[in-house]
Amino acid sequence: MILWDDDDHSYAYVTAMMMEVFRFPAEKGFQIATEVDTRGRCIVLTTTKEHAELKRDQIHAYGKDDLIQDCKGSMWSTIEAVE
C-alpha cells in the first residue's frame, strides 16, 4: 500500500495517523511522513489484498488535518500488486 504526498497534511497528522491506523511507533510514523514529503510517496505496508483494502479505507476515512487551515480531507493511498 502506498501513501501519496500532498500539501494539505502536516508531519504531525501523518505521524498520528500511522500510529492510530497501523499501530506504528511515533518514530516510524515520522519516518513515513518524511519519506512521503521528500519522495512524493511511501510504501507503508505490504500485506494481503483484503488487509491492504481495509487500511486504505481507514486512511481515506481518517479525516482532515486540523493543523492545515485549507485542508480538504484525508490523504490519498493506493494499492499496487507485488510480484
Side-chain angles (χ1 to χ4, degrees):
M1 177 176 27
I2 298 170
L3 184 66
W4 295 91
D5 186 32
D6 59 39
D7 293 329
D8 289 340
H9 298 90
S10 64
Y11 276 48
Y13 173 94
V14 176
T15 301
M17 180 176 59
M18 292 296 111
M19 291 172 63
E20 186 174 329
V21 172
F22 295 94
R23 303 289 184 230
F24 290 157
E27 297 80 17
K28 179 152 177 91
F30 185 80
Q31 176 187 20
I32 289 169
T34 302
E35 185 171 339
V36 165
D37 186 41
T38 57
R39 295 186 177 193
R41 64 185 236 157
C42 178
I43 297 172
V44 177
L45 186 68
T46 302
T47 187
T48 64
K49 180 181 176 189
E50 294 78 15
H51 189 230
E53 289 170 343
L54 170 68
K55 294 303 180 184
R56 177 203 57 206
D57 293 348
Q58 289 175 333
I59 288 172
H60 291 173
Y62 195 72
K64 68 184 194 93
D65 186 341
D66 292 330
L67 299 175
I68 307 292
Q69 183 176 0
D70 294 329
C71 182
K72 295 176 179 76
S74 301
M75 291 189 77
W76 188 249
S77 64
T78 58
I79 299 169
E80 294 182 10
V82 176
E83 304 208 10

